[in-house]
Amino acid sequence: MWVISSSWLWVFDSQVLTVGALHQADSAALRSAASAWHDDFSPLPKPLLVVHIGGPTSSCRYGADLAKELTAMLHNVFWSCGSIRISFSRRTPEKVSKILLEEFSAHPKVYVWDGEGPNPHLGHLAWADAFIITADSVSMLSEACSTGKPVYVIGAERCTWKFADLQKSLREQGLVRPFTGNEDISESWSYPPLNDTAEAAERVIEALAERGWTVRT
């Protein structure tokens, strides 16, 4: 049998290492999301910067300090952004979300999704021109890196264990850059999109084929 985790794929007695987490935000899903969220996102001034905020873990510790740091750095890049959308995960502590909500909820360039209404996550992935993502979230980083768009990371220096290894791997492959607050968001850069899910699926199919099994598609 095979078991999938955030960065390892077990196929029978073999282990396949993936760079990031496996997810469903493939090109087909993003095309569908681009259409579904067209009326919400197409009128927004460009470039659109999307900020996805996760939550601290035992291997990636932070709190209000990181929220304050992010707030100050966002102010520094406002001049190069047409619009900014911020969203939180279910793991985001109130002390983190509260700082950003109080700072930006009335800002004309910023929309903060607070969990009410349809989740715009796939719309963000489809329509963003660049991302800022907290280092704790392997899934959000993996999804953003599957778009080929600029991904900036905040908080990587606070991570240990496999989270630190992931950050190092993403940087070395040119998939992410640290967010410093000195960026010009209008300056785009790209890379071959991270494609772990499709590659893992191919490995599973190969392993099944070696045993005479086939997968209907």
Side-chain angles (χ1 to χ4, degrees):
M1 64 179 294
W2 61 83
V3 178
I4 297 174
S5 68
S6 62
S7 57
W8 290 97
L9 172 67
W10 286 91
V11 185
F12 297 101
D13 56 351
S14 300
Q15 189 182 61
V16 178
L17 175 65
T18 63
V19 176
L22 306 186
H23 57 82
Q24 296 181 329
D26 58 13
S27 57
L30 295 184
R31 285 194 300 271
S32 177
S35 176
W37 289 91
H38 177 272
D39 292 347
D40 295 87
F41 288 99
S42 62
L44 297 178
K46 294 287 201 171
L48 168 59
L49 174 64
V50 165
V51 184
H52 283 166
I53 300 169
T57 69
S58 60
S59 299
C60 212
R61 299 180 182 276
Y62 64 86
D65 54 341
L66 188 67
K68 292 175 181 177
E69 181 182 347
L70 174 58
T71 296
M73 291 194 293
L74 282 175
H75 277 294
N76 288 341
V77 301
F78 271 172
W79 67 272
S80 65
C81 299
S83 50
I84 298 174
R85 291 187 62 110
I86 300 173
S87 68
F88 308 108
S89 78
R90 284 174 286 187
R91 296 187 299 106
T92 308
E94 184 179 358
K95 63 184 177 182
V96 171
S97 60
K98 184 178 179 181
I99 289 171
L100 289 149
L101 281 166
E102 290 180 349
E103 185 70 24
F104 297 123
S105 59
H107 196 288
K109 277 192 175 183
V110 182
Y111 174 84
V112 182
W113 185 67
D114 58 3
E116 297 296 325
N119 190 331
H121 184 68
L122 284 176
H124 284 172
L125 292 173
W127 282 94
D129 296 297
F131 301 91
I132 297 171
I133 299 178
T134 54
D136 59 274
S137 183
V138 177
S139 59
M140 290 194 295
L141 283 167
S142 301
E143 289 169 339
C145 288
S146 73
T147 68
K149 302 171 185 178
V151 179
Y152 298 98
V153 179
I154 184 168
E157 71 283 353
R158 302 164 187 256
C159 295
T160 60
W161 192 46
K162 68 177 183 179
F163 290 88
D165 292 340
L166 171 66
Q167 299 301 328
K168 182 174 183 290
S169 176
L170 294 177
R171 288 195 306 271
E172 289 177 346
Q173 294 182 60
L175 299 171
V176 305
R177 297 178 184 178
F179 181 55
T180 66
N182 297 316
E183 290 77 10
D184 178 350
I185 301 302
S186 66
E187 291 185 356
S188 184
W189 46 275
S190 61
Y191 47 85
L194 189 63
N195 200 26
D196 278 339
T197 303
E199 292 173 3
E202 288 179 7
R203 182 64 188 91
V204 170
I205 291 171
E206 290 172 0
L208 292 173
E210 289 171 359
R211 289 160 175 79
W213 298 349
T214 59
V215 177
R216 293 181 180 178
T217 59

